[in-house]
Amino acid sequence: HQVASGGMIAAGRTSLSARTALVGDSLTEQQYEYSPVYWGNGLNGGKLKVVANVGVSGDRVGMMLSRIDNAYPSGLAGVGVIGRINFRGGTNDAADLTPIAPLAPTYTALLNKLAGYAGIVFVHSVPPRADGAINNLVIQYNAWLSAFVAASPTRFRWVDDCVNMRDGSNVQLTPYFIDYVHFSPRGIIQAGVDSATALSESIGSY
C-alpha cells in the first residue's frame, strides 16, 4: 500500500522510497564532481538512488527557500516521490557574517518545506572555516541546526559529517579543504565515511 510520504507498507513494515535528493549551495552542486553523500551511500551498499541535485553555487539559505518550490532543476517541484533529502546550507550566510538569530526563521521555513517533500531530511553540518569570525558563526549555525533536528527526530536526522575536519577548538583542519571553503578529495571521502553511520541507521532495513 502506498502512503503519503511516498513509501509503502508491506508485511507490516513501513519503508521510504529509495529516491533521494540533494539540496544546498556549491558544496552540493559542484563538490568538484563528487559528493560525500555518494560515498556515504556507497559504503552502505548504494541502496539510495540520487535522482535530483538542486544545489546552486553561491546560494544563501534565503535563496534556497525562495526557489525550492520551483520546477526541477531549480527546485523540487516535479521530481516525484522522494524518500530522503540531504541538505547542507549556511556556508555563504556565514561568509556574509549573518548572525544566527535573523537566519533561524529562514532555516526553519526551508527545513519545514523540505520535510514536505520527503519522509526524512538529513541535515548535514556546515563545514568549519579558517576565518575566526566566520567560523564562530558556523559553530552557532551547527548548534542551532542540531537542536532543531533533535526537536523533530521523526522528520530530521543530524549528520555531522565534518566532525573530523575540526580540531579540538572547532578550527578548520586545512588538509580537508582546497580553498578554505570547499572539500578537498580527502575531505570529501572523510565526510562520506562520517555520514555513513547516519545513513546506515536510516537505510539498514533495505
Side-chain angles (χ1 to χ4, degrees), residues 127-130 135 165-167 170-174 177 180-181:
R129 296 291 291 270
N135 199 52
M165 299 183 196
R166 320 177 189 98
D167 65 15
N170 288 309
V171 174
Q172 182 187 92
L173 296 173
T174 55
F177 299 86
Y180 301 105
V181 179

Side-chain angles (χ1 to χ4, degrees), residues 21-23 52-56 59 61-80 82 85 110 113-114 117:
L22 314 182
V23 177
N53 184 332
V54 296
V56 175
D59 258 14
V61 176
M63 298 163 73
M64 297 176 203
L65 174 62
S66 68
R67 66 177 170 82
I68 200 62
D69 289 329
N70 293 347
Y72 185 75
S74 174
L76 290 173
V79 171
I82 305 172
I85 288 174
L110 176 59
K113 271 190 173 289
L114 294 180
Y117 280 99

Side-chain angles (χ1 to χ4, degrees), residues 84-167:
R84 294 168 182 80
I85 288 174
N86 285 270
F87 165 75
R88 192 194 310 272
T91 291
N92 296 310
D93 299 85
D96 290 339
L97 298 180
T98 303
I100 185 59
L103 185 60
T106 311
Y107 260 137
T108 299
L110 176 59
L111 290 168
N112 284 333
K113 271 190 173 289
L114 294 180
Y117 280 99
I120 295 175
V121 178
F122 288 108
V123 180
H124 294 254
S125 55
V126 182
R129 296 291 291 270
D131 181 283
I134 296 175
N135 199 52
N136 286 337
L137 289 172
V138 168
I139 293 169
Q140 294 173 35
Y141 288 9
N142 285 332
W144 186 91
L145 287 166
S146 61
F148 179 91
V149 168
S152 300
T154 61
R155 304 168 68 204
F156 302 96
R157 301 282 191 280
W158 175 241
V159 182
D160 187 4
D161 53 1
C162 297
V163 63
N164 287 309
M165 299 183 196
R166 320 177 189 98
D167 65 15

Side-chain angles (χ1 to χ4, degrees), residues 19 30 95 99 101 116-117 152 174 186 190 203 205:
R19 300 177 82 251
Q30 297 177 8
Y117 280 99
S152 300
T174 55
R186 178 177 176 179
Q190 185 65 59
I203 66 176
S205 62

